[in-house]
Amino acid sequence: MTEKSIRVRFAPSPTGGLHLGGVRTALFNYLFAKHHNGKFILRVEDTDQNRFVEGAEQYIVSCLEWCGITTDESPNTGGEFGPYRQSERKSRYRKYAEELIEKGFAYYAFDTPAELEKMREQYKSEANPSPQYDSKIREKMNNSLTLSSAEVQERLTNKEPHVIRIKMPASTDVTLHDMIRGEVSFSTDQVDDKVLLKGDGMPTYHLAVVVDDYEMKISHAFRGEEWLPSAPVHVLLWEYLGWKNEMPQWAHLPLILKPDGQGKLSKRDGDRLGFPVFAMDWTDPKTGEITKGFKELGFLPEAFINMLAMLGWNDGSGEEIFKLNSLVEKFSVERIHKGGAKFDFEKAKWFNHEWIKRSKTDRLLPLVEKVLAENKIQASSALLSELIPMVQERCVLLSDFHTQLAYFFIDPITIDTDSISPKWNESKHDFFNSWKTGLEGLTDWSTATIEQSFKDAAEQAGIKPGELQLPFRIMLVGAKFGPPVFEIAARIGKASTLRRIDNSLALLKA
RNA sequence: GGCCCGUUGGUCAAUCGGUUAAGACGCCUCCCUUUCACGGAGGAAUGAGGGGUUCGAUUCCCCUACGGGCUACCA
C-alpha cells in the first residue's frame, strides 16, 4: 500500500466575514495535517462572481494568522500546485467537463433561468415540492441529450449560453466512507444533474472541488456536514474522471448550532443574542456595516481556538485547556463527535478567562497596552507589568483590563456612595479626616505602612478596621472591586490617595 | 414532501456490554476574604420512546419520535 503524503485544504469562499464554523473547519484541517506532518493548504473558492466580496480573502487570511493557523501553500505565498484561487484556475475546468461529455457522463444544457423556473413551477406538487433536474426531467429540457447533435453543434458555434451538467446514472447506489460517520450511501435517483460548468465558464463547487483536490493532491477532505448530500456527485466525478484511486478520504464535520432554538449558527444569531460569530471584526465594503469579532471583543486567540477545538472534539481525558501544539499532538479524527453542538457563549468566555488567568505578563502586556490606549490611558510598560498580575484573574475579556486598571491612572469618574452611605456616620467621617494627617506624615509610602497606619488610626478612633475598609475602597476605586485596597493606595501614590479621600468625603457630606 | 446525518443533565461531553453514568460551563449552598475575583468543599440536574440480541444494555440491531442538513448556473 502506497502511503500518500498528507495534504489537506481549507477552502472558503470570500463572501464575507469568517464564521466560527469556518474557523473550526480550518482548525481541524490544520490539526490533522500537522499531527501527521502534512501540509495545510488554503484554497480560495471564488467561483461565484456574484457573491464575491472585496477584501474578504485578505480578511480570511488575517483571521487564520490571528488564530495561529499557518498555511503551507496559499494564494499569497504560492506553492507548487498553484494557483490557489479558483478564479485563476478557470481555464483548466472546461476540458474536464468536456471530457466527461465525451465519456457520456455529462451533457450540455441550454435551458435559460426562466425555463428552469418554469420547469420547477410546472412539476411542483404536494408530493414533490422541489422538482429537480434529474433523469426524468432532463428528457423534457433543452440539452444535448434531447437535441439533435446538429442543433447542439449549431448552438455551440453560435455561442449560445449553456451549462454542462453531470448525467446522474439511474438507480445506482453510491457509497462512500466517511472518517467520522463510516459508510454512507445514497441512491443516484435522489440526486439531480448538478451543473458542473456554469454559463460564465466558471466551474461550480462540485467540479472545482474535485478537479482541484485532484490536481493539488489532497489526501483528506474535511468539510461541513452540509456537504454530505452532494458527496455522491463528487465521488462519481472522481470515478468518471478516472481518478478513483486518488480520491481523498472524506470527513464531514458536525455543524455548530444556535444556542437557543435550532439550526445552524448564523451571523444573525450573534446579533440577536449579543455575541460575535465572526473571528474578527468584519466591515461590509458596500454598506460599511461592522460586525463584531471575537478578537476585538477581547478574546485571546489561544482561547478562541481552544474553545473551537472542544466544540466537537475532546481527547477523552477530561482536560479542556490545550495550546495549539498540544491540540496538534493529541488530535485524532476518531474522537470527533458526530452530532452538532450548540454554541455556548458563556463557556466561550470561560475559556478566555482561563487563558487570561494562565497567561504570562509578557503575553498580556501589549494587548493590555492596546486596550488602555484605546481608552486614552497612557501607562509605562514597567508599571503595567506590575499591575497585570494583580488584576488578570479578574478579567474575562481583554477589555476588562480597562475597568480593572483605569483607577490606577485616573480618579474614578463615578463613586458608588450608595454602598457606603447607609452605614456612614460622623465618626467615620472624622476618621478619614484625621487619618489623612497621618497619611501625609508617612515617609515610607508602601502597602504595609499604609495598612499599619490605617489600623492604628482605626483603633484610635475606636472603629473596627473592617468597617472602614469598604469606604476606603470606594473612595479609591469608585466601586466594589479590585485588588487589596492598600496595594492600590500604594500604587496610586500619596497625593492621589489624599485627593480621592477628599473627593469622596465631599460627596458623602452632601 | 424526498434523501442523508444525528440524539447521554439547560450547554459542552466521558463511557468503546457489566460504572454509585466521569469531568467542564452555568446555577445554588458553604468556606476563604469585611471589595471583586481567584481558590476550596458540597448540591440540584442526564441515557427520547418502544421493541429486540444478550446472563447483562447508555453502549449492538430495528421501528417510532424529535432535531439538523440538503433539495440553485451559492458555496
Side-chain angles (χ1 to χ4, degrees), chain A residues 79-111:
Chain A
E80 69 176 296
F81 300 93
Y84 294 89
R85 225 172 255 124
Q86 287 181 332
S87 57
E88 293 169 13
R89 304 172 68 80
K90 184 176 176 184
S91 60
R92 331 159 79 101
Y93 303 105
R94 185 158 198 115
K95 73 163 190 270
Y96 291 116
E98 282 173 348
E99 178 187 329
L100 288 167
I101 293 177
E102 278 165 35
K103 290 177 173 172
F105 296 129
Y107 58 91
Y108 294 107
F110 301 94
D111 317 282

PDB file of all heavy atoms in Angstrom, chain A residues 79-111:
ATOM      1  N   GLY A  79       2.937  28.100  -4.012  1.00  0.00           N
ATOM      2  CA  GLY A  79       3.219  26.700  -3.749  1.00  0.00           C
ATOM      3  C   GLY A  79       3.275  25.985  -5.080  1.00  0.00           C
ATOM      4  O   GLY A  79       2.923  26.564  -6.109  1.00  0.00           O
ATOM      5  N   GLU A  80       3.709  24.743  -5.070  1.00  0.00           N
ATOM      6  CA  GLU A  80       3.909  24.072  -6.355  1.00  0.00           C
ATOM      7  C   GLU A  80       2.632  23.626  -7.059  1.00  0.00           C
ATOM      8  O   GLU A  80       2.666  23.153  -8.178  1.00  0.00           O
ATOM      9  CB  GLU A  80       4.880  22.899  -6.202  1.00  0.00           C
ATOM     10  CG  GLU A  80       4.341  21.744  -5.396  1.00  0.00           C
ATOM     11  CD  GLU A  80       5.310  20.561  -5.366  1.00  0.00           C
ATOM     12  OE1 GLU A  80       5.563  19.996  -6.445  1.00  0.00           O
ATOM     13  OE2 GLU A  80       5.797  20.210  -4.265  1.00  0.00           O
ATOM     14  N   PHE A  81       1.486  23.780  -6.384  1.00  0.00           N
ATOM     15  CA  PHE A  81       0.242  23.339  -7.027  1.00  0.00           C
ATOM     16  C   PHE A  81      -0.696  24.495  -7.366  1.00  0.00           C
ATOM     17  O   PHE A  81      -1.878  24.321  -7.536  1.00  0.00           O
ATOM     18  CB  PHE A  81      -0.485  22.324  -6.147  1.00  0.00           C
ATOM     19  CG  PHE A  81       0.328  21.093  -5.879  1.00  0.00           C
ATOM     20  CD1 PHE A  81       1.133  20.991  -4.748  1.00  0.00           C
ATOM     21  CD2 PHE A  81       0.305  20.034  -6.774  1.00  0.00           C
ATOM     22  CE1 PHE A  81       1.901  19.854  -4.504  1.00  0.00           C
ATOM     23  CE2 PHE A  81       1.069  18.888  -6.543  1.00  0.00           C
ATOM     24  CZ  PHE A  81       1.872  18.796  -5.409  1.00  0.00           C
ATOM     25  N   GLY A  82      -0.140  25.690  -7.420  1.00  0.00           N
ATOM     26  CA  GLY A  82      -0.961  26.863  -7.667  1.00  0.00           C
ATOM     27  C   GLY A  82      -1.494  26.928  -9.081  1.00  0.00           C
ATOM     28  O   GLY A  82      -1.152  26.071  -9.895  1.00  0.00           O
ATOM     29  N   PRO A  83      -2.271  27.945  -9.395  1.00  0.00           N
ATOM     30  CA  PRO A  83      -2.728  28.965  -8.452  1.00  0.00           C
ATOM     31  C   PRO A  83      -3.734  28.416  -7.425  1.00  0.00           C
ATOM     32  O   PRO A  83      -4.337  27.383  -7.654  1.00  0.00           O
ATOM     33  CB  PRO A  83      -3.374  30.031  -9.331  1.00  0.00           C
ATOM     34  CG  PRO A  83      -3.650  29.375 -10.632  1.00  0.00           C
ATOM     35  CD  PRO A  83      -2.707  28.239 -10.770  1.00  0.00           C
ATOM     36  N   TYR A  84      -3.862  29.145  -6.327  1.00  0.00           N
ATOM     37  CA  TYR A  84      -4.717  28.688  -5.250  1.00  0.00           C
ATOM     38  C   TYR A  84      -6.031  29.455  -5.160  1.00  0.00           C
ATOM     39  O   TYR A  84      -6.717  29.427  -4.155  1.00  0.00           O
ATOM     40  CB  TYR A  84      -3.962  28.755  -3.914  1.00  0.00           C
ATOM     41  CG  TYR A  84      -2.809  27.771  -3.892  1.00  0.00           C
ATOM     42  CD1 TYR A  84      -1.554  28.132  -4.346  1.00  0.00           C
ATOM     43  CD2 TYR A  84      -3.017  26.456  -3.465  1.00  0.00           C
ATOM     44  CE1 TYR A  84      -0.509  27.226  -4.374  1.00  0.00           C
ATOM     45  CE2 TYR A  84      -1.986  25.537  -3.488  1.00  0.00           C
ATOM     46  CZ  TYR A  84      -0.727  25.922  -3.951  1.00  0.00           C
ATOM     47  OH  TYR A  84       0.297  25.007  -3.975  1.00  0.00           O
ATOM     48  N   ARG A  85      -6.278  30.202  -6.221  1.00  0.00           N
ATOM     49  CA  ARG A  85      -7.538  30.929  -6.292  1.00  0.00           C
ATOM     50  C   ARG A  85      -8.288  30.311  -7.467  1.00  0.00           C
ATOM     51  O   ARG A  85      -7.744  30.273  -8.588  1.00  0.00           O
ATOM     52  CB  ARG A  85      -7.218  32.398  -6.584  1.00  0.00           C
ATOM     53  CG  ARG A  85      -7.955  33.399  -5.760  1.00  0.00           C
ATOM     54  CD  ARG A  85      -7.399  34.799  -6.017  1.00  0.00           C
ATOM     55  NE  ARG A  85      -6.563  35.270  -4.927  1.00  0.00           N
ATOM     56  CZ  ARG A  85      -5.314  35.677  -5.052  1.00  0.00           C
ATOM     57  NH1 ARG A  85      -4.716  35.679  -6.223  1.00  0.00           N
ATOM     58  NH2 ARG A  85      -4.648  36.094  -3.995  1.00  0.00           N
ATOM     59  N   GLN A  86      -9.481  29.818  -7.265  1.00  0.00           N
ATOM     60  CA  GLN A  86     -10.158  29.112  -8.350  1.00  0.00           C
ATOM     61  C   GLN A  86     -10.440  29.993  -9.553  1.00  0.00           C
ATOM     62  O   GLN A  86     -10.425  29.519 -10.686  1.00  0.00           O
ATOM     63  CB  GLN A  86     -11.436  28.450  -7.830  1.00  0.00           C
ATOM     64  CG  GLN A  86     -11.106  27.243  -6.968  1.00  0.00           C
ATOM     65  CD  GLN A  86     -12.321  26.528  -6.436  1.00  0.00           C
ATOM     66  OE1 GLN A  86     -13.376  27.131  -6.249  1.00  0.00           O
ATOM     67  NE2 GLN A  86     -12.180  25.245  -6.155  1.00  0.00           N
ATOM     68  N   SER A  87     -10.672  31.276  -9.299  1.00  0.00           N
ATOM     69  CA  SER A  87     -10.926  32.157 -10.440  1.00  0.00           C
ATOM     70  C   SER A  87      -9.721  32.167 -11.378  1.00  0.00           C
ATOM     71  O   SER A  87      -9.857  32.307 -12.588  1.00  0.00           O
ATOM     72  CB  SER A  87     -11.240  33.571  -9.956  1.00  0.00           C
ATOM     73  OG  SER A  87     -10.172  34.065  -9.169  1.00  0.00           O
ATOM     74  N   GLU A  88      -8.536  31.984 -10.819  1.00  0.00           N
ATOM     75  CA  GLU A  88      -7.325  31.980 -11.628  1.00  0.00           C
ATOM     76  C   GLU A  88      -7.071  30.623 -12.280  1.00  0.00           C
ATOM     77  O   GLU A  88      -6.142  30.451 -13.063  1.00  0.00           O
ATOM     78  CB  GLU A  88      -6.110  32.378 -10.770  1.00  0.00           C
ATOM     79  CG  GLU A  88      -6.176  33.820 -10.322  1.00  0.00           C
ATOM     80  CD  GLU A  88      -5.130  34.163  -9.272  1.00  0.00           C
ATOM     81  OE1 GLU A  88      -4.188  33.365  -9.069  1.00  0.00           O
ATOM     82  OE2 GLU A  88      -5.275  35.231  -8.636  1.00  0.00           O
ATOM     83  N   ARG A  89      -7.883  29.670 -11.924  1.00  0.00           N
ATOM     84  CA  ARG A  89      -7.741  28.327 -12.492  1.00  0.00           C
ATOM     85  C   ARG A  89      -8.817  28.078 -13.530  1.00  0.00           C
ATOM     86  O   ARG A  89      -8.955  26.969 -14.053  1.00  0.00           O
ATOM     87  CB  ARG A  89      -7.844  27.272 -11.380  1.00  0.00           C
ATOM     88  CG  ARG A  89      -6.850  27.454 -10.248  1.00  0.00           C
ATOM     89  CD  ARG A  89      -7.137  26.509  -9.098  1.00  0.00           C
ATOM     90  NE  ARG A  89      -6.894  25.116  -9.435  1.00  0.00           N
ATOM     91  CZ  ARG A  89      -5.697  24.542  -9.445  1.00  0.00           C
ATOM     92  NH1 ARG A  89      -4.639  25.241  -9.110  1.00  0.00           N
ATOM     93  NH2 ARG A  89      -5.565  23.280  -9.770  1.00  0.00           N
ATOM     94  N   LYS A  90      -9.608  29.109 -13.793  1.00  0.00           N
ATOM     95  CA  LYS A  90     -10.780  28.988 -14.636  1.00  0.00           C
ATOM     96  C   LYS A  90     -10.563  28.158 -15.908  1.00  0.00           C
ATOM     97  O   LYS A  90     -11.359  27.280 -16.228  1.00  0.00           O
ATOM     98  CB  LYS A  90     -11.279  30.383 -15.034  1.00  0.00           C
ATOM     99  CG  LYS A  90     -12.557  30.358 -15.849  1.00  0.00           C
ATOM    100  CD  LYS A  90     -13.061  31.775 -16.123  1.00  0.00           C
ATOM    101  CE  LYS A  90     -14.289  31.722 -17.041  1.00  0.00           C
ATOM    102  NZ  LYS A  90     -14.745  33.073 -17.410  1.00  0.00           N
ATOM    103  N   SER A  91      -9.465  28.415 -16.585  1.00  0.00           N
ATOM    104  CA  SER A  91      -9.235  27.751 -17.865  1.00  0.00           C
ATOM    105  C   SER A  91      -9.072  26.242 -17.772  1.00  0.00           C
ATOM    106  O   SER A  91      -9.209  25.535 -18.753  1.00  0.00           O
ATOM    107  CB  SER A  91      -7.998  28.360 -18.528  1.00  0.00           C
ATOM    108  OG  SER A  91      -6.889  28.155 -17.661  1.00  0.00           O
ATOM    109  N   ARG A  92      -8.756  25.750 -16.608  1.00  0.00           N
ATOM    110  CA  ARG A  92      -8.480  24.313 -16.514  1.00  0.00           C
ATOM    111  C   ARG A  92      -9.733  23.455 -16.424  1.00  0.00           C
ATOM    112  O   ARG A  92      -9.667  22.249 -16.685  1.00  0.00           O
ATOM    113  CB  ARG A  92      -7.618  24.009 -15.281  1.00  0.00           C
ATOM    114  CG  ARG A  92      -6.712  25.162 -14.893  1.00  0.00           C
ATOM    115  CD  ARG A  92      -6.269  25.066 -13.481  1.00  0.00           C
ATOM    116  NE  ARG A  92      -5.193  24.112 -13.277  1.00  0.00           N
ATOM    117  CZ  ARG A  92      -3.909  24.441 -13.139  1.00  0.00           C
ATOM    118  NH1 ARG A  92      -3.534  25.694 -13.239  1.00  0.00           N
ATOM    119  NH2 ARG A  92      -3.023  23.511 -12.890  1.00  0.00           N
ATOM    120  N   TYR A  93     -10.850  24.043 -15.999  1.00  0.00           N
ATOM    121  CA  TYR A  93     -12.020  23.218 -15.710  1.00  0.00           C
ATOM    122  C   TYR A  93     -12.792  22.724 -16.928  1.00  0.00           C
ATOM    123  O   TYR A  93     -13.311  21.622 -16.946  1.00  0.00           O
ATOM    124  CB  TYR A  93     -12.972  23.967 -14.771  1.00  0.00           C
ATOM    125  CG  TYR A  93     -12.309  24.394 -13.482  1.00  0.00           C
ATOM    126  CD1 TYR A  93     -11.961  25.726 -13.266  1.00  0.00           C
ATOM    127  CD2 TYR A  93     -12.007  23.455 -12.491  1.00  0.00           C
ATOM    128  CE1 TYR A  93     -11.345  26.123 -12.088  1.00  0.00           C
ATOM    129  CE2 TYR A  93     -11.378  23.844 -11.315  1.00  0.00           C
ATOM    130  CZ  TYR A  93     -11.052  25.191 -11.111  1.00  0.00           C
ATOM    131  OH  TYR A  93     -10.440  25.571  -9.955  1.00  0.00           O
ATOM    132  N   ARG A  94     -12.863  23.570 -17.960  1.00  0.00           N
ATOM    133  CA  ARG A  94     -13.682  23.228 -19.104  1.00  0.00           C
ATOM    134  C   ARG A  94     -13.275  21.907 -19.762  1.00  0.00           C
ATOM    135  O   ARG A  94     -14.107  21.098 -20.141  1.00  0.00           O
ATOM    136  CB  ARG A  94     -13.669  24.354 -20.132  1.00  0.00           C
ATOM    137  CG  ARG A  94     -14.615  24.071 -21.272  1.00  0.00           C
ATOM    138  CD  ARG A  94     -15.058  25.298 -22.039  1.00  0.00           C
ATOM    139  NE  ARG A  94     -16.248  24.918 -22.780  1.00  0.00           N
ATOM    140  CZ  ARG A  94     -17.449  25.425 -22.571  1.00  0.00           C
ATOM    141  NH1 ARG A  94     -17.633  26.349 -21.659  1.00  0.00           N
ATOM    142  NH2 ARG A  94     -18.473  24.991 -23.262  1.00  0.00           N
ATOM    143  N   LYS A  95     -11.986  21.692 -19.830  1.00  0.00           N
ATOM    144  CA  LYS A  95     -11.547  20.469 -20.523  1.00  0.00           C
ATOM    145  C   LYS A  95     -12.001  19.213 -19.791  1.00  0.00           C
ATOM    146  O   LYS A  95     -12.340  18.213 -20.397  1.00  0.00           O
ATOM    147  CB  LYS A  95     -10.032  20.483 -20.737  1.00  0.00           C
ATOM    148  CG  LYS A  95      -9.179  20.255 -19.520  1.00  0.00           C
ATOM    149  CD  LYS A  95      -7.742  19.875 -19.943  1.00  0.00           C
ATOM    150  CE  LYS A  95      -6.900  19.409 -18.767  1.00  0.00           C
ATOM    151  NZ  LYS A  95      -6.170  20.464 -18.067  1.00  0.00           N
ATOM    152  N   TYR A  96     -12.055  19.320 -18.461  1.00  0.00           N
ATOM    153  CA  TYR A  96     -12.518  18.152 -17.710  1.00  0.00           C
ATOM    154  C   TYR A  96     -14.011  17.945 -17.923  1.00  0.00           C
ATOM    155  O   TYR A  96     -14.489  16.822 -18.066  1.00  0.00           O
ATOM    156  CB  TYR A  96     -12.234  18.323 -16.223  1.00  0.00           C
ATOM    157  CG  TYR A  96     -10.769  18.279 -15.880  1.00  0.00           C
ATOM    158  CD1 TYR A  96     -10.118  19.389 -15.353  1.00  0.00           C
ATOM    159  CD2 TYR A  96     -10.028  17.118 -16.109  1.00  0.00           C
ATOM    160  CE1 TYR A  96      -8.771  19.359 -15.036  1.00  0.00           C
ATOM    161  CE2 TYR A  96      -8.663  17.073 -15.808  1.00  0.00           C
ATOM    162  CZ  TYR A  96      -8.044  18.197 -15.266  1.00  0.00           C
ATOM    163  OH  TYR A  96      -6.710  18.147 -14.968  1.00  0.00           O
ATOM    164  N   ALA A  97     -14.742  19.054 -17.978  1.00  0.00           N
ATOM    165  CA  ALA A  97     -16.184  18.957 -18.188  1.00  0.00           C
ATOM    166  C   ALA A  97     -16.460  18.356 -19.563  1.00  0.00           C
ATOM    167  O   ALA A  97     -17.347  17.513 -19.720  1.00  0.00           O
ATOM    168  CB  ALA A  97     -16.809  20.342 -18.072  1.00  0.00           C
ATOM    169  N   GLU A  98     -15.680  18.778 -20.546  1.00  0.00           N
ATOM    170  CA  GLU A  98     -15.892  18.248 -21.893  1.00  0.00           C
ATOM    171  C   GLU A  98     -15.458  16.795 -22.009  1.00  0.00           C
ATOM    172  O   GLU A  98     -16.055  16.005 -22.733  1.00  0.00           O
ATOM    173  CB  GLU A  98     -15.196  19.136 -22.926  1.00  0.00           C
ATOM    174  CG  GLU A  98     -16.035  20.379 -23.164  1.00  0.00           C
ATOM    175  CD  GLU A  98     -15.380  21.437 -24.039  1.00  0.00           C
ATOM    176  OE1 GLU A  98     -14.166  21.336 -24.296  1.00  0.00           O
ATOM    177  OE2 GLU A  98     -16.107  22.371 -24.446  1.00  0.00           O
ATOM    178  N   GLU A  99     -14.450  16.469 -21.247  1.00  0.00           N
ATOM    179  CA  GLU A  99     -14.011  15.070 -21.204  1.00  0.00           C
ATOM    180  C   GLU A  99     -15.157  14.197 -20.690  1.00  0.00           C
ATOM    181  O   GLU A  99     -15.407  13.098 -21.185  1.00  0.00           O
ATOM    182  CB  GLU A  99     -12.791  14.946 -20.277  1.00  0.00           C
ATOM    183  CG  GLU A  99     -12.280  13.518 -20.136  1.00  0.00           C
ATOM    184  CD  GLU A  99     -11.179  13.409 -19.064  1.00  0.00           C
ATOM    185  OE1 GLU A  99     -10.433  14.392 -18.875  1.00  0.00           O
ATOM    186  OE2 GLU A  99     -11.093  12.344 -18.424  1.00  0.00           O
ATOM    187  N   LEU A 100     -15.855  14.727 -19.713  1.00  0.00           N
ATOM    188  CA  LEU A 100     -16.988  13.993 -19.149  1.00  0.00           C
ATOM    189  C   LEU A 100     -18.100  13.824 -20.184  1.00  0.00           C
ATOM    190  O   LEU A 100     -18.740  12.778 -20.263  1.00  0.00           O
ATOM    191  CB  LEU A 100     -17.528  14.710 -17.907  1.00  0.00           C
ATOM    192  CG  LEU A 100     -16.636  14.624 -16.664  1.00  0.00           C
ATOM    193  CD1 LEU A 100     -17.105  15.609 -15.604  1.00  0.00           C
ATOM    194  CD2 LEU A 100     -16.610  13.197 -16.104  1.00  0.00           C
ATOM    195  N   ILE A 101     -18.283  14.864 -20.996  1.00  0.00           N
ATOM    196  CA  ILE A 101     -19.314  14.769 -22.035  1.00  0.00           C
ATOM    197  C   ILE A 101     -18.936  13.679 -23.038  1.00  0.00           C
ATOM    198  O   ILE A 101     -19.743  12.835 -23.402  1.00  0.00           O
ATOM    199  CB  ILE A 101     -19.483  16.124 -22.760  1.00  0.00           C
ATOM    200  CG1 ILE A 101     -20.075  17.156 -21.787  1.00  0.00           C
ATOM    201  CG2 ILE A 101     -20.404  15.962 -23.971  1.00  0.00           C
ATOM    202  CD1 ILE A 101     -20.227  18.547 -22.368  1.00  0.00           C
ATOM    203  N   GLU A 102     -17.667  13.710 -23.438  1.00  0.00           N
ATOM    204  CA  GLU A 102     -17.193  12.690 -24.385  1.00  0.00           C
ATOM    205  C   GLU A 102     -17.407  11.284 -23.865  1.00  0.00           C
ATOM    206  O   GLU A 102     -17.774  10.379 -24.596  1.00  0.00           O
ATOM    207  CB  GLU A 102     -15.698  12.879 -24.668  1.00  0.00           C
ATOM    208  CG  GLU A 102     -15.405  13.946 -25.702  1.00  0.00           C
ATOM    209  CD  GLU A 102     -13.936  14.352 -25.678  1.00  0.00           C
ATOM    210  OE1 GLU A 102     -13.085  13.471 -25.423  1.00  0.00           O
ATOM    211  OE2 GLU A 102     -13.662  15.553 -25.876  1.00  0.00           O
ATOM    212  N   LYS A 103     -17.165  11.144 -22.577  1.00  0.00           N
ATOM    213  CA  LYS A 103     -17.322   9.814 -21.984  1.00  0.00           C
ATOM    214  C   LYS A 103     -18.780   9.473 -21.711  1.00  0.00           C
ATOM    215  O   LYS A 103     -19.083   8.372 -21.234  1.00  0.00           O
ATOM    216  CB  LYS A 103     -16.556   9.738 -20.665  1.00  0.00           C
ATOM    217  CG  LYS A 103     -15.030   9.742 -20.824  1.00  0.00           C
ATOM    218  CD  LYS A 103     -14.401   9.731 -19.423  1.00  0.00           C
ATOM    219  CE  LYS A 103     -12.888   9.557 -19.480  1.00  0.00           C
ATOM    220  NZ  LYS A 103     -12.303   9.739 -18.128  1.00  0.00           N
ATOM    221  N   GLY A 104     -19.663  10.431 -21.956  1.00  0.00           N
ATOM    222  CA  GLY A 104     -21.083  10.168 -21.738  1.00  0.00           C
ATOM    223  C   GLY A 104     -21.544  10.365 -20.304  1.00  0.00           C
ATOM    224  O   GLY A 104     -22.636   9.925 -19.932  1.00  0.00           O
ATOM    225  N   PHE A 105     -20.736  11.047 -19.507  1.00  0.00           N
ATOM    226  CA  PHE A 105     -21.110  11.249 -18.113  1.00  0.00           C
ATOM    227  C   PHE A 105     -21.667  12.653 -17.851  1.00  0.00           C
ATOM    228  O   PHE A 105     -21.995  12.996 -16.720  1.00  0.00           O
ATOM    229  CB  PHE A 105     -19.900  11.033 -17.203  1.00  0.00           C
ATOM    230  CG  PHE A 105     -19.370   9.628 -17.236  1.00  0.00           C
ATOM    231  CD1 PHE A 105     -18.014   9.377 -17.454  1.00  0.00           C
ATOM    232  CD2 PHE A 105     -20.234   8.545 -17.032  1.00  0.00           C
ATOM    233  CE1 PHE A 105     -17.523   8.076 -17.480  1.00  0.00           C
ATOM    234  CE2 PHE A 105     -19.737   7.248 -17.058  1.00  0.00           C
ATOM    235  CZ  PHE A 105     -18.389   7.003 -17.286  1.00  0.00           C
ATOM    236  N   ALA A 106     -21.710  13.446 -18.912  1.00  0.00           N
ATOM    237  CA  ALA A 106     -22.216  14.803 -18.739  1.00  0.00           C
ATOM    238  C   ALA A 106     -22.803  15.265 -20.055  1.00  0.00           C
ATOM    239  O   ALA A 106     -22.671  14.581 -21.075  1.00  0.00           O
ATOM    240  CB  ALA A 106     -21.084  15.732 -18.298  1.00  0.00           C
ATOM    241  N   TYR A 107     -23.457  16.402 -20.050  1.00  0.00           N
ATOM    242  CA  TYR A 107     -24.073  16.914 -21.268  1.00  0.00           C
ATOM    243  C   TYR A 107     -24.246  18.420 -21.215  1.00  0.00           C
ATOM    244  O   TYR A 107     -24.212  19.012 -20.137  1.00  0.00           O
ATOM    245  CB  TYR A 107     -25.426  16.233 -21.505  1.00  0.00           C
ATOM    246  CG  TYR A 107     -26.414  16.402 -20.361  1.00  0.00           C
ATOM    247  CD1 TYR A 107     -27.310  17.472 -20.334  1.00  0.00           C
ATOM    248  CD2 TYR A 107     -26.456  15.482 -19.305  1.00  0.00           C
ATOM    249  CE1 TYR A 107     -28.218  17.634 -19.291  1.00  0.00           C
ATOM    250  CE2 TYR A 107     -27.340  15.626 -18.261  1.00  0.00           C
ATOM    251  CZ  TYR A 107     -28.221  16.704 -18.252  1.00  0.00           C
ATOM    252  OH  TYR A 107     -29.113  16.862 -17.215  1.00  0.00           O
ATOM    253  N   TYR A 108     -24.422  18.989 -22.406  1.00  0.00           N
ATOM    254  CA  TYR A 108     -24.654  20.428 -22.487  1.00  0.00           C
ATOM    255  C   TYR A 108     -26.124  20.677 -22.196  1.00  0.00           C
ATOM    256  O   TYR A 108     -26.979  19.905 -22.619  1.00  0.00           O
ATOM    257  CB  TYR A 108     -24.365  20.944 -23.908  1.00  0.00           C
ATOM    258  CG  TYR A 108     -22.907  20.840 -24.316  1.00  0.00           C
ATOM    259  CD1 TYR A 108     -22.499  19.874 -25.245  1.00  0.00           C
ATOM    260  CD2 TYR A 108     -21.962  21.728 -23.797  1.00  0.00           C
ATOM    261  CE1 TYR A 108     -21.175  19.774 -25.629  1.00  0.00           C
ATOM    262  CE2 TYR A 108     -20.630  21.638 -24.180  1.00  0.00           C
ATOM    263  CZ  TYR A 108     -20.238  20.662 -25.087  1.00  0.00           C
ATOM    264  OH  TYR A 108     -18.925  20.573 -25.465  1.00  0.00           O
ATOM    265  N   ALA A 109     -26.410  21.767 -21.513  1.00  0.00           N
ATOM    266  CA  ALA A 109     -27.804  22.132 -21.287  1.00  0.00           C
ATOM    267  C   ALA A 109     -27.975  23.606 -21.610  1.00  0.00           C
ATOM    268  O   ALA A 109     -27.188  24.443 -21.185  1.00  0.00           O
ATOM    269  CB  ALA A 109     -28.196  21.839 -19.855  1.00  0.00           C
ATOM    270  N   PHE A 110     -29.011  23.893 -22.400  1.00  0.00           N
ATOM    271  CA  PHE A 110     -29.209  25.263 -22.882  1.00  0.00           C
ATOM    272  C   PHE A 110     -30.376  25.979 -22.221  1.00  0.00           C
ATOM    273  O   PHE A 110     -30.753  27.058 -22.628  1.00  0.00           O
ATOM    274  CB  PHE A 110     -29.425  25.228 -24.400  1.00  0.00           C
ATOM    275  CG  PHE A 110     -28.281  24.621 -25.148  1.00  0.00           C
ATOM    276  CD1 PHE A 110     -28.291  23.264 -25.486  1.00  0.00           C
ATOM    277  CD2 PHE A 110     -27.170  25.387 -25.499  1.00  0.00           C
ATOM    278  CE1 PHE A 110     -27.215  22.690 -26.158  1.00  0.00           C
ATOM    279  CE2 PHE A 110     -26.102  24.820 -26.186  1.00  0.00           C
ATOM    280  CZ  PHE A 110     -26.113  23.468 -26.512  1.00  0.00           C
ATOM    281  N   ASP A 111     -30.940  25.349 -21.222  1.00  0.00           N
ATOM    282  CA  ASP A 111     -32.115  25.941 -20.585  1.00  0.00           C
ATOM    283  C   ASP A 111     -31.789  27.282 -19.943  1.00  0.00           C
ATOM    284  O   ASP A 111     -30.768  27.434 -19.269  1.00  0.00           O
ATOM    285  CB  ASP A 111     -32.646  24.977 -19.523  1.00  0.00           C
ATOM    286  CG  ASP A 111     -32.639  23.552 -20.024  1.00  0.00           C
ATOM    287  OD1 ASP A 111     -33.539  23.208 -20.789  1.00  0.00           O
ATOM    288  OD2 ASP A 111     -31.695  22.788 -19.679  1.00  0.00           O
TER     289      ASP A 111
END
